[in-house]
Amino acid sequence: MVFAKELKQALMNSNNSSFNDETCMMMLNMFDKTKTGRVDVFGFSALWTFLQQWRAVFQQFDRDRSGSINSNEMHQALSQMGYNLSPQFIQELVNRYSARGVNRVLQLDRFIQVCTQLQSMTQAFREKDTAMTGNVRMSYEDFLSGAITRLM
Amino acid sequence: MAYHNQYRPPHYNSAPPDQGFLWNIFQRVDKDRSGAISDTELQQALSNGTWTPFNPVTVRSIISMFDRENKGGVNFNEFAGVWKYISDWQNIFRTYDKDNSGFIDKNELKQALTGFGEFVIIVIFYDSQNHRQCCLFLFFNPLLTDVFRRYDTDQDGWIQVSYEQYLSMVFNVV
């Protein structure tokens, strides 16, 4: 059984910082099938595969081999994944999620966090935008329930 | 109106605590003696048995609500607000935790939701034994409500947004 604390200790970024709390919690939630706050051996196997896949993507787009992804590299990564987002938005996203006190770049943990949340938020948006217009009308409750999904 | 002012816990108003008592607590929480309590210091304080542990997103929401100078922490005056806010919500939590288990189960939650008459969010967090628990995630509302309000120009509880605007709202990028 792997606990949140152990997970955090086991996972590190290329700059030797440990994975941030949000990413650890997010992955635990995703792979904790027993709903007990820990991951069993099957869940861990799936989590590990998940990590390796994202690490491969990360390395593919870390063109300058800096060990981190900047706004340009993020734009290319997201385009490749099929997202159509403005450079300004991506810049703001990278700024917002980069670790405090460092350059505006994403380490692996935050890269995984942003990409995974982008996926679920896009899914939430698509469910409302049935006509595929790129615009939705939503109520306050719609908005809040979409945001909860992001946390869980 | 689809939402209410959520900066104050509804139906509850506790008496302000003794200043000396509060200062004592503040000093203990402000471990590096910087004069302000950071996210990390608050989270550690909340994990040390006084209250059940809070998740970092919750801690960030609380600090940003009371941090008037955008300094990434709260000074003593602001901390008084934090303390009251958490105590008020904790007392409401206890009101709905009928069996005193320390958690609110589905039935208790149903009553709580009806009681508040406004949107309450559940979040999952882990306690010190790493058991997954559910807690009324009452602190997150104000930030999201704020973001929503900015787009709801006619204040009718509905907005029209593009894909990127929606993402910005949820990521709190804007």
Side-chain angles (χ1 to χ4, degrees):
Chain A
M1 291 285 188
V2 174
F3 293 79
K5 255 186 285 197
E6 291 169 339
L7 191 64
K8 191 178 161 71
Q9 282 162 10
L11 301 175
M12 294 181 83
N13 294 308
S14 65
N15 64 355
N16 288 324
S17 59
S18 51
F19 264 41
N20 67 351
D21 287 343
E22 287 98 321
T23 309
C24 289
M25 295 261 289
M26 182 187 80
M27 292 196 296
L28 261 182
N29 279 340
M30 286 168 76
F31 296 100
D32 171 16
K33 295 296 173 230
T34 60
K35 306 288 184 221
T36 52
R38 49 203 122 151
V39 176
D40 64 17
V41 66
F42 302 104
F44 186 76
S45 170
L47 190 157
W48 197 252
T49 306
F50 174 82
L51 265 177
Q52 299 304 77
Q53 285 170 343
W54 276 115
R55 195 188 299 271
V57 175
F58 183 88
Q59 283 167 351
Q60 185 191 346
F61 288 99
D62 175 20
R63 298 257 151 82
D64 60 6
R65 295 268 172 274
S66 59
S68 59
I69 285 198
N70 62 33
S71 182
N72 281 332
E73 292 167 335
M74 190 59 169
H75 196 175
Q76 287 170 34
L78 293 179
S79 294
Q80 184 84 327
M81 289 180 220
Y83 291 100
N84 186 7
L85 295 165
S86 68
Q88 300 92 305
F89 175 81
I90 293 175
Q91 179 73 68
E92 281 166 6
L93 197 62
V94 171
N95 289 350
R96 166 81 169 72
Y97 277 84
S98 55
R100 216 177 250 193
V102 297
N103 303 324
R104 299 305 191 194
V105 292
L106 299 176
Q107 295 291 325
L108 179 59
D109 57 355
R110 288 159 196 271
F111 176 72
I112 295 175
Q113 185 185 358
V114 172
C115 290
T116 311
Q117 287 177 355
L118 202 52
Q119 270 175 352
S120 68
M121 290 335 302
T122 301
Q123 181 63 28
F125 186 88
R126 279 213 180 112
E127 279 165 15
K128 295 182 180 70
D129 183 23
T130 43
M132 304 261 292
T133 59
N135 265 281
V136 297
R137 188 164 178 271
M138 69 172 65
S139 67
Y140 176 57
E141 270 92 37
D142 285 339
F143 172 63
L144 284 185
S145 49
I148 305 165
T149 323
R150 173 174 94 88
L151 292 173
M152 296 169 57
Chain B
M1 181 61 130
Y3 39 72
H4 314 262
N5 178 1
Q6 300 192 43
Y7 288 91
R8 289 265 161 274
H11 322 307
Y12 199 90
N13 225 331
S14 58
D18 174 62
Q19 288 290 287
F21 169 75
L22 207 55
W23 176 240
N24 218 309
I25 295 188
F26 182 85
Q27 284 185 305
R28 273 192 286 135
V29 178
D30 179 21
K31 293 214 167 98
D32 63 4
R33 292 259 180 276
S34 62
I37 288 175
S38 64
D39 282 40
T40 321
E41 288 169 337
L42 183 63
Q43 188 181 24
Q44 282 170 3
L46 295 176
S47 296
N48 274 336
T50 320
W51 302 295
T52 44
F54 277 57
N55 115 352
V57 175
T58 313
V59 174
R60 179 89 291 270
S61 302
I62 299 173
I63 297 268
S64 61
M65 263 200 290
F66 291 93
D67 175 10
R68 288 180 212 116
E69 300 145 0
N70 231 332
K71 55 192 172 308
V74 290
N75 59 32
F76 179 60
N77 286 328
E78 294 161 343
F79 178 69
V82 171
W83 177 268
K84 184 180 188 319
Y85 189 81
I86 293 179
S87 302
D88 285 354
W89 277 119
Q90 232 208 337
N91 282 312
I92 293 178
F93 183 94
R94 286 201 195 104
T95 314
Y96 287 96
D97 177 23
K98 299 257 152 65
D99 59 9
N100 275 322
S101 61
F103 316 115
I104 288 188
D105 64 30
K106 246 189 297 184
N107 289 324
E108 292 165 336
L109 182 61
K110 212 165 165 223
Q111 291 175 44
L113 285 174
T114 322
F116 290 145
E118 59 195 7
F119 209 95
V120 178
I121 302 172
I122 308 165
V123 79
I124 299 164
F125 68 92
Y126 297 90
D127 67 12
S128 50
Q129 272 88 45
N130 278 308
H131 295 308
R132 188 196 201 123
Q133 308 298 356
C134 286
C135 169
L136 281 181
F137 191 33
L138 304 160
F139 306 103
F140 202 82
N141 286 352
L143 285 182
L144 286 177
T145 307
D146 218 39
V147 169
F148 187 88
R149 270 193 182 136
R150 261 179 264 156
Y151 284 85
D152 185 18
T153 42
D154 60 1
Q155 302 282 290
D156 66 348
W158 287 86
I159 56 173
Q160 184 94 22
V161 286
S162 70
Y163 172 54
E164 258 188 42
Q165 284 176 327
Y166 176 68
L167 291 180
S168 294
M169 288 171 81
V170 182
F171 281 114
N172 266 324
V173 162
V174 168

